[in-house]
Amino acid sequence: MTVKEAIPACAEGAYDTREEDTPEGRDRGTGGARDPGAHASPGTAAATVAAGRAAQELGLRRNEFELAVHLGLIAVTEMPGGGRPRVREREIARLREEPGYPDGLVERVRTVGTAEGAALLGIVPARFTRLARAGCFSPVTFYLNRYRAVVWLYLADELASFAVREPALLAGRMPQEMRTRLEAGGDRRARNWRAQRIERVLRRTEDPWARAAVEASALDSAHLAEVVEDPYERAHLVRVRPEPVFGRPASVAAREAMGELMLADDPDEILWRRINLTLSVEQARDERQAPRPGDDPGGWAPSAPRLAPPVFPKAVAKSAPKPAKDPAPNPPPAPAAAACTVPAPVAVLAPTHAPQPTAPPPLSSAMETPSGARAPSRNRLLTRLGWRRRKDG
């Protein structure tokens, strides 16, 4: 469908690319989320089909099927014990019953490059690139050409919606603010791609630590260490980070390119991601603490900070019998000697054990250790985040 065909269709209410805000629409738009049936059991495995067969039955190519799952148009089911996700037969039946099948489903996952997208909008490729760099529409995926350069792809559905929504940007001079940003070298394609990808992954993620790991995926190791100071929490974020539904790209070059594109590069975007990660980690800590070495697999219960090293109990055990031995051999004749010998262990034990009945002194962020660290409050983290941001600037 071209722009000229889309404009009158949209005016009649027959061309709307946005999902309805209904429970059914939210179920379809969960970013490749699992079916309400959660994980398939061995008894229901017969009611599911492999991804390749599902794509064939729906009339989609493999890359179109994976994109449809990523966009949340097709719900998949995770098998117990891992493995590639499968599709329920009732999900395939639901898609076949939708109006406009199969052309409607194919059109919703159709992607175009710069040249084809410009022809779809009726503009020259140079103007299309400028509009994409300005952030008027976002790429949905990419591939590497033979020179290992990133080639962005856009949803034809989204481009048609943009033409209907902003027809003034397709002709004439661009707004002054947009021209200034482009002349300064601004390019929001990677940033918009990151934002949409993170948002779709968050839709299908419920675990609070996994959601924090999704936010952390946009920060490099230096920024991550500043926001999450506990190394055990950082290691846990790496372990629980959700993987793509169909795994990472096969080629090494594509994996490296995706790793670079996933990192925020603009200062304001980095600050925004740091704030989101701070809030997400706080919510995850309220739910449960990150596991540490020696903890039970089921979870970790927070304990009080340990102020004394573990070697102190051994020293106490050796010195404890001494006061009991001295009164036994010579109780009556040596009261002065007892007065001299008894205070000795008391003087040694007082610095280590006297403060224990009282509340331990508050630990600052610099004094906290990875093994017994207590997470600072949200306000303290945000204050530290803002202070470091001003220092960097």
Side-chain angles (χ1 to χ4, degrees):
M1 179 179 292
T2 63
V3 174
K4 294 182 179 180
E5 297 173 349
I7 292 177
C10 183
E12 297 174 2
Y15 190 85
D16 189 2
T17 60
R18 295 171 295 181
E19 287 285 344
E20 296 180 0
D21 190 14
T22 61
E24 293 78 6
R26 285 191 292 269
D27 290 341
R28 291 193 302 268
T30 52
R34 274 76 65 185
D35 211 351
H39 299 271
S41 60
T44 59
T48 62
V49 298
R53 179 180 171 184
Q56 184 178 5
E57 293 184 5
L58 294 173
L60 299 175
R61 295 194 294 267
R62 188 55 181 266
N63 60 339
E64 294 176 342
F65 178 82
E66 294 182 1
L67 181 58
V69 173
H70 176 66
L71 296 177
L73 304 178
I74 302 176
V76 295
T77 302
E78 292 183 353
M79 301 303 296
R84 297 179 66 85
R86 300 173 66 87
V87 183
R88 293 182 180 273
E89 294 182 353
R90 65 185 183 188
E91 177 69 7
I92 298 177
R94 180 188 68 82
L95 294 171
R96 286 178 171 177
E97 295 174 358
E98 288 188 350
Y101 175 84
D103 296 337
L105 180 60
V106 174
E107 183 66 20
R108 296 174 72 181
V109 297
R110 185 166 71 93
T111 57
V112 296
T114 300
E116 191 176 355
L120 180 65
L121 297 180
I123 58 178
V124 295
R127 189 179 185 92
F128 181 92
T129 302
R130 289 172 64 85
L131 291 174
R133 288 177 53 198
C136 296
F137 38 81
S138 305
V140 69
T141 185
F142 70 92
Y143 70 92
L144 300 181
N145 59 12
R146 59 180 179 177
Y147 305 106
R148 294 193 174 184
V150 176
V151 179
W152 295 108
L153 297 177
Y154 308 84
L155 284 175
D157 218 18
E158 183 179 351
L159 295 180
S161 298
F162 167 76
V164 174
R165 188 174 63 252
E166 300 289 348
L169 294 178
L170 301 180
R173 289 177 61 84
M174 293 184 177
Q176 179 63 36
E177 181 182 358
M178 188 180 298
R179 296 202 308 271
T180 303
R181 186 165 60 246
L182 292 174
E183 291 172 359
D187 191 349
R188 298 181 64 91
R189 288 176 293 184
R191 177 173 181 173
N192 290 348
W193 174 79
R194 277 191 299 271
Q196 289 192 356
R197 183 178 183 83
I198 291 176
E199 180 182 357
R200 291 183 180 118
V201 176
L202 287 176
R203 288 178 186 173
R204 65 172 184 259
T205 306
E206 299 178 358
D207 181 74
W209 280 105
R211 293 178 65 86
V214 175
E215 297 287 357
S217 63
L219 296 175
D220 58 19
S221 57
H223 289 288
L224 180 60
E226 291 179 357
V227 178
V228 185
E229 297 180 351
D230 192 335
Y232 296 120
E233 290 183 344
R234 294 199 301 269
H236 187 56
L237 291 176
V238 174
R239 287 194 300 268
V240 301
R241 180 179 301 174
E243 292 288 338
V245 178
F246 293 98
R248 297 184 179 274
S251 65
V252 178
R255 288 197 299 268
E256 293 177 351
M258 176 170 286
E260 295 176 359
L261 292 173
M262 278 300 300
L263 297 179
D265 50 7
D266 294 335
D268 58 338
E269 183 187 3
I270 293 175
L271 178 60
W272 176 249
R273 292 301 171 190
R274 287 170 63 115
I275 294 175
N276 287 347
L277 176 59
T278 301
L279 299 178
S280 299
V281 171
E282 283 291 329
Q283 295 176 359
R285 288 168 179 160
D286 293 340
E287 182 75 19
R288 68 179 185 278
Q289 295 292 332
R292 300 174 184 274
D295 293 336
D296 294 334
W300 177 75
S303 59
R306 292 173 294 179
L307 301 180
V311 297
F312 285 172
K314 297 181 179 179
V316 174
K318 293 180 180 178
S319 59
K322 291 182 179 179
K325 291 180 180 179
D326 293 338
N330 42 2
C340 296
T341 57
V342 172
V346 174
V348 176
L349 297 177
T352 58
H353 293 278
Q356 289 185 357
T358 61
L363 298 177
S364 63
S365 58
M367 295 171 59
E368 293 175 348
T369 60
S371 61
R374 177 177 55 84
S377 63
R378 181 180 305 177
N379 294 334
R380 188 177 302 172
L381 277 176
L382 292 177
T383 302
R384 185 176 72 252
L385 182 61
W387 179 81
R388 287 183 175 174
R389 181 64 185 165
R390 291 194 297 271
K391 183 177 70 175
D392 295 341

